[in-house]
Amino acid sequence: MSLIFSNLVVPNQPSSIIVDMRNFVTKFGKILEICKKFAGNKVNESGNVPRCGVVPTFSDLEVVALSITAEALGIDSENYLFRRLNAESPGAIPNLISHRQYNQRRKKTMLLGEDIRQSIAKEMDGGEDVFSIDSKPVKVCQNARANRCRMGRDDMGRAPSWGYCASQDMHYYGYKLHALCGISGVIHSYDMTAANVHDLQYLKDVRWEYHDCTILGDKGYLSTPVQLDLFETANITLDVPYRLNQRNWTPPTWAYRRFRKRIETVFSQFNDQFMMIRNYAKKPAGLFTRMAAKVAAFTMLQYFNHLNHRPIGQVKYALF
């Protein structure tokens, strides 16, 4: 079965990513303006990160904006994106680079996109002092294909591994996305690790970035030494409910359940709207770049809601 767009045949494309390219170009322009606003002195007057060599005509900011726009509108296939743009809107985006160039420069501008995302997040809720922390599995293939998966074979330091997700009661092969978000649902920081890395390892980085705050975690973060270390190092209170078989167990408070639900909702949106469970990457660098683009697109949609005085969590309707 295939879908036909302006004499262009694109096989087996999900209906969720059928987007009018004229609307895509319009949204790209709006997102580019926001990227310019928050880039600050990270780029020069041409929109590029200062470096030696030839100045690209399609700027780094435009690469970041194109990546965010595609993910925000549900297009996570680079091949599909460029075939649609070249067939239906040729010349609509000036100096548009090729698919191959976009794939390379998207990786190189990932840090620029993350800097812009963090600046947007701080403007929306920079004064937060209560956060939720959690992790979610990122599969790279089905379990039956794990032994044949070649991802990370040439870079064993970033290779995927086997892991277990207690909330879904499943073993999987891939990575783990760690995220820290405020009670409004805005992601402040995140990281990707192999699936066999314990959730507590991410807290070692958190204690150097945050202080004088409260972090709400699930039972996977239960550790008295870690709680004591966070409090003594950065005055961070790690609030984790006890297990049922522990002496000090008490039912979680209403506030804890409500604020914890924020990050669980965010992860559900990643699976639903941003299709984080679908993976086209063949190397770890490509996967990390795609995950960074999805998180940046999520934050960008929240910012659109913030500007329009709408609930920032309703990202599915942010661009309408």
Side-chain angles (χ1 to χ4, degrees), residues 136-159:
K136 75 176 300 294
V138 180
K139 297 175 64 174
V140 298
C141 66
Q142 297 298 326
N143 292 351
R145 296 181 55 246
N147 293 333
R148 304 194 305 271
C149 180
R150 302 190 60 83
M151 179 175 288
R153 295 284 180 88
D154 55 348
D155 187 2
M156 297 306 297
R158 298 198 294 176

mmCIF file of all heavy atoms in Angstrom, residues 136-159:
data_model
loop_
_atom_site.group_PDB
_atom_site.id
_atom_site.type_symbol
_atom_site.label_atom_id
_atom_site.label_comp_id
_atom_site.label_asym_id
_atom_site.label_seq_id
_atom_site.Cartn_x
_atom_site.Cartn_y
_atom_site.Cartn_z
ATOM 1 N N LYS A 136 12.738 6.191 31.296
ATOM 2 C CA LYS A 136 11.895 5.377 30.428
ATOM 3 C C LYS A 136 12.768 4.586 29.455
ATOM 4 O O LYS A 136 13.848 5.049 29.048
ATOM 5 C CB LYS A 136 10.885 6.227 29.654
ATOM 6 C CG LYS A 136 11.468 7.026 28.511
ATOM 7 C CD LYS A 136 10.403 7.770 27.737
ATOM 8 C CE LYS A 136 9.365 6.877 27.128
ATOM 9 N NZ LYS A 136 9.895 5.992 26.071
ATOM 10 N N PRO A 137 12.356 3.375 29.099
ATOM 11 C CA PRO A 137 13.155 2.571 28.171
ATOM 12 C C PRO A 137 13.079 3.094 26.746
ATOM 13 O O PRO A 137 12.043 3.585 26.301
ATOM 14 C CB PRO A 137 12.522 1.181 28.283
ATOM 15 C CG PRO A 137 11.115 1.436 28.727
ATOM 16 C CD PRO A 137 11.170 2.668 29.591
ATOM 17 N N VAL A 138 14.183 2.996 26.036
ATOM 18 C CA VAL A 138 14.260 3.339 24.613
ATOM 19 C C VAL A 138 14.813 2.122 23.891
ATOM 20 O O VAL A 138 16.027 1.881 23.876
ATOM 21 C CB VAL A 138 15.155 4.570 24.371
ATOM 22 C CG1 VAL A 138 15.219 4.888 22.886
ATOM 23 C CG2 VAL A 138 14.654 5.776 25.151
ATOM 24 N N LYS A 139 13.931 1.335 23.298
ATOM 25 C CA LYS A 139 14.350 0.119 22.607
ATOM 26 C C LYS A 139 14.961 0.461 21.255
ATOM 27 O O LYS A 139 14.509 1.373 20.571
ATOM 28 C CB LYS A 139 13.152 -0.807 22.418
ATOM 29 C CG LYS A 139 12.536 -1.312 23.705
ATOM 30 C CD LYS A 139 11.282 -2.125 23.440
ATOM 31 C CE LYS A 139 11.570 -3.372 22.657
ATOM 32 N NZ LYS A 139 10.379 -4.240 22.516
ATOM 33 N N VAL A 140 15.980 -0.292 20.878
ATOM 34 C CA VAL A 140 16.579 -0.099 19.555
ATOM 35 C C VAL A 140 16.153 -1.196 18.590
ATOM 36 O O VAL A 140 16.306 -1.051 17.373
ATOM 37 C CB VAL A 140 18.114 -0.038 19.639
ATOM 38 C CG1 VAL A 140 18.556 1.145 20.482
ATOM 39 C CG2 VAL A 140 18.701 -1.329 20.193
ATOM 40 N N CYS A 141 15.629 -2.296 19.110
ATOM 41 C CA CYS A 141 15.141 -3.376 18.266
ATOM 42 C C CYS A 141 14.327 -4.330 19.122
ATOM 43 O O CYS A 141 14.302 -4.217 20.355
ATOM 44 C CB CYS A 141 16.291 -4.119 17.581
ATOM 45 S SG CYS A 141 17.366 -5.007 18.729
ATOM 46 N N GLN A 142 13.665 -5.266 18.487
ATOM 47 C CA GLN A 142 12.955 -6.303 19.221
ATOM 48 C C GLN A 142 13.957 -7.244 19.892
ATOM 49 O O GLN A 142 15.085 -7.427 19.419
ATOM 50 C CB GLN A 142 12.030 -7.086 18.288
ATOM 51 C CG GLN A 142 10.918 -6.246 17.672
ATOM 52 C CD GLN A 142 9.982 -5.664 18.716
ATOM 53 O OE1 GLN A 142 9.718 -6.273 19.752
ATOM 54 N NE2 GLN A 142 9.474 -4.472 18.448
ATOM 55 N N ASN A 143 13.537 -7.854 20.984
ATOM 56 C CA ASN A 143 14.449 -8.706 21.750
ATOM 57 C C ASN A 143 15.031 -9.848 20.909
ATOM 58 O O ASN A 143 16.190 -10.231 21.084
ATOM 59 C CB ASN A 143 13.730 -9.277 22.972
ATOM 60 C CG ASN A 143 13.395 -8.200 23.990
ATOM 61 O OD1 ASN A 143 13.850 -7.064 23.864
ATOM 62 N ND2 ASN A 143 12.608 -8.532 24.987
ATOM 63 N N ALA A 144 14.227 -10.379 19.999
ATOM 64 C CA ALA A 144 14.696 -11.504 19.187
ATOM 65 C C ALA A 144 15.833 -11.102 18.248
ATOM 66 O O ALA A 144 16.601 -11.958 17.796
ATOM 67 C CB ALA A 144 13.531 -12.089 18.383
ATOM 68 N N ARG A 145 15.954 -9.811 17.941
ATOM 69 C CA ARG A 145 16.989 -9.333 17.019
ATOM 70 C C ARG A 145 18.181 -8.738 17.739
ATOM 71 O O ARG A 145 19.097 -8.203 17.105
ATOM 72 C CB ARG A 145 16.402 -8.287 16.074
ATOM 73 C CG ARG A 145 15.320 -8.812 15.157
ATOM 74 C CD ARG A 145 14.794 -7.720 14.227
ATOM 75 N NE ARG A 145 15.871 -7.100 13.462
ATOM 76 C CZ ARG A 145 16.244 -5.836 13.592
ATOM 77 N NH1 ARG A 145 15.634 -5.051 14.460
ATOM 78 N NH2 ARG A 145 17.212 -5.342 12.850
ATOM 79 N N ALA A 146 18.208 -8.775 19.059
ATOM 80 C CA ALA A 146 19.259 -8.102 19.826
ATOM 81 C C ALA A 146 20.650 -8.632 19.483
ATOM 82 O O ALA A 146 21.607 -7.851 19.367
ATOM 83 C CB ALA A 146 18.988 -8.254 21.322
ATOM 84 N N ASN A 147 20.789 -9.944 19.310
ATOM 85 C CA ASN A 147 22.103 -10.516 19.009
ATOM 86 C C ASN A 147 22.608 -10.112 17.629
ATOM 87 O O ASN A 147 23.814 -10.154 17.373
ATOM 88 C CB ASN A 147 22.053 -12.039 19.116
ATOM 89 C CG ASN A 147 21.834 -12.514 20.541
ATOM 90 O OD1 ASN A 147 22.201 -11.815 21.488
ATOM 91 N ND2 ASN A 147 21.244 -13.683 20.709
ATOM 92 N N ARG A 148 21.710 -9.726 16.735
ATOM 93 C CA ARG A 148 22.114 -9.321 15.379
ATOM 94 C C ARG A 148 22.211 -7.809 15.226
ATOM 95 O O ARG A 148 22.607 -7.335 14.163
ATOM 96 C CB ARG A 148 21.113 -9.865 14.352
ATOM 97 C CG ARG A 148 20.917 -11.362 14.417
ATOM 98 C CD ARG A 148 20.205 -11.895 13.181
ATOM 99 N NE ARG A 148 18.938 -11.225 12.938
ATOM 100 C CZ ARG A 148 17.775 -11.615 13.452
ATOM 101 N NH1 ARG A 148 17.734 -12.658 14.276
ATOM 102 N NH2 ARG A 148 16.664 -10.982 13.161
ATOM 103 N N CYS A 149 21.826 -7.075 16.262
ATOM 104 C CA CYS A 149 21.843 -5.602 16.185
ATOM 105 C C CYS A 149 23.285 -5.109 16.124
ATOM 106 O O CYS A 149 24.124 -5.479 16.951
ATOM 107 C CB CYS A 149 21.125 -5.008 17.397
ATOM 108 S SG CYS A 149 21.096 -3.208 17.410
ATOM 109 N N ARG A 150 23.584 -4.265 15.163
ATOM 110 C CA ARG A 150 24.943 -3.763 14.969
ATOM 111 C C ARG A 150 25.149 -2.362 15.545
ATOM 112 O O ARG A 150 26.242 -1.803 15.428
ATOM 113 C CB ARG A 150 25.291 -3.758 13.477
ATOM 114 C CG ARG A 150 25.189 -5.129 12.817
ATOM 115 C CD ARG A 150 25.777 -5.111 11.417
ATOM 116 N NE ARG A 150 27.186 -4.747 11.431
ATOM 117 C CZ ARG A 150 28.178 -5.599 11.676
ATOM 118 N NH1 ARG A 150 27.906 -6.866 11.967
ATOM 119 N NH2 ARG A 150 29.420 -5.193 11.653
ATOM 120 N N MET A 151 24.120 -1.797 16.155
ATOM 121 C CA MET A 151 24.272 -0.463 16.726
ATOM 122 C C MET A 151 25.314 -0.478 17.847
ATOM 123 O O MET A 151 25.236 -1.277 18.778
ATOM 124 C CB MET A 151 22.937 0.055 17.267
ATOM 125 C CG MET A 151 23.028 1.440 17.895
ATOM 126 S SD MET A 151 21.444 2.124 18.421
ATOM 127 C CE MET A 151 20.696 2.509 16.842
ATOM 128 N N GLY A 152 26.282 0.404 17.740
ATOM 129 C CA GLY A 152 27.313 0.525 18.761
ATOM 130 C C GLY A 152 28.472 -0.431 18.619
ATOM 131 O O GLY A 152 29.384 -0.425 19.453
ATOM 132 N N ARG A 153 28.489 -1.249 17.565
ATOM 133 C CA ARG A 153 29.601 -2.191 17.386
ATOM 134 C C ARG A 153 30.930 -1.461 17.173
ATOM 135 O O ARG A 153 31.984 -1.974 17.556
ATOM 136 C CB ARG A 153 29.332 -3.109 16.190
ATOM 137 C CG ARG A 153 28.139 -4.040 16.369
ATOM 138 C CD ARG A 153 28.436 -5.197 17.288
ATOM 139 N NE ARG A 153 27.292 -6.074 17.462
ATOM 140 C CZ ARG A 153 27.015 -7.105 16.676
ATOM 141 N NH1 ARG A 153 27.805 -7.378 15.641
ATOM 142 N NH2 ARG A 153 25.958 -7.871 16.920
ATOM 143 N N ASP A 154 30.885 -0.271 16.555
ATOM 144 C CA ASP A 154 32.113 0.485 16.308
ATOM 145 C C ASP A 154 32.392 1.510 17.408
ATOM 146 O O ASP A 154 33.362 2.261 17.328
ATOM 147 C CB ASP A 154 32.025 1.206 14.963
ATOM 148 C CG ASP A 154 30.795 2.099 14.866
ATOM 149 O OD1 ASP A 154 29.909 1.989 15.740
ATOM 150 O OD2 ASP A 154 30.716 2.910 13.922
ATOM 151 N N ASP A 155 31.564 1.548 18.451
ATOM 152 C CA ASP A 155 31.761 2.470 19.573
ATOM 153 C C ASP A 155 31.173 1.811 20.821
ATOM 154 O O ASP A 155 30.078 2.135 21.262
ATOM 155 C CB ASP A 155 31.073 3.813 19.290
ATOM 156 C CG ASP A 155 31.392 4.866 20.340
ATOM 157 O OD1 ASP A 155 32.180 4.575 21.263
ATOM 158 O OD2 ASP A 155 30.834 5.988 20.244
ATOM 159 N N MET A 156 31.932 0.879 21.398
ATOM 160 C CA MET A 156 31.415 0.080 22.502
ATOM 161 C C MET A 156 31.126 0.913 23.742
ATOM 162 O O MET A 156 30.331 0.515 24.596
ATOM 163 C CB MET A 156 32.418 -1.029 22.852
ATOM 164 C CG MET A 156 32.642 -2.019 21.716
ATOM 165 S SD MET A 156 31.096 -2.745 21.098
ATOM 166 C CE MET A 156 30.514 -3.620 22.543
ATOM 167 N N GLY A 157 31.736 2.076 23.843
ATOM 168 C CA GLY A 157 31.464 2.929 24.999
ATOM 169 C C GLY A 157 30.056 3.490 25.007
ATOM 170 O O GLY A 157 29.549 3.883 26.060
ATOM 171 N N ARG A 158 29.424 3.542 23.836
ATOM 172 C CA ARG A 158 28.048 4.045 23.745
ATOM 173 C C ARG A 158 27.095 2.995 23.186
ATOM 174 O O ARG A 158 26.044 3.327 22.655
ATOM 175 C CB ARG A 158 28.008 5.306 22.876
ATOM 176 C CG ARG A 158 28.817 6.459 23.434
ATOM 177 C CD ARG A 158 28.422 7.785 22.816
ATOM 178 N NE ARG A 158 28.730 7.857 21.400
ATOM 179 C CZ ARG A 158 28.398 8.901 20.632
ATOM 180 N NH1 ARG A 158 27.753 9.926 21.166
ATOM 181 N NH2 ARG A 158 28.715 8.920 19.351
ATOM 182 N N ALA A 159 27.465 1.752 23.298
ATOM 183 C CA ALA A 159 26.652 0.663 22.758
ATOM 184 C C ALA A 159 25.434 0.410 23.650
ATOM 185 O O ALA A 159 25.470 0.656 24.859
ATOM 186 C CB ALA A 159 27.481 -0.601 22.658
#
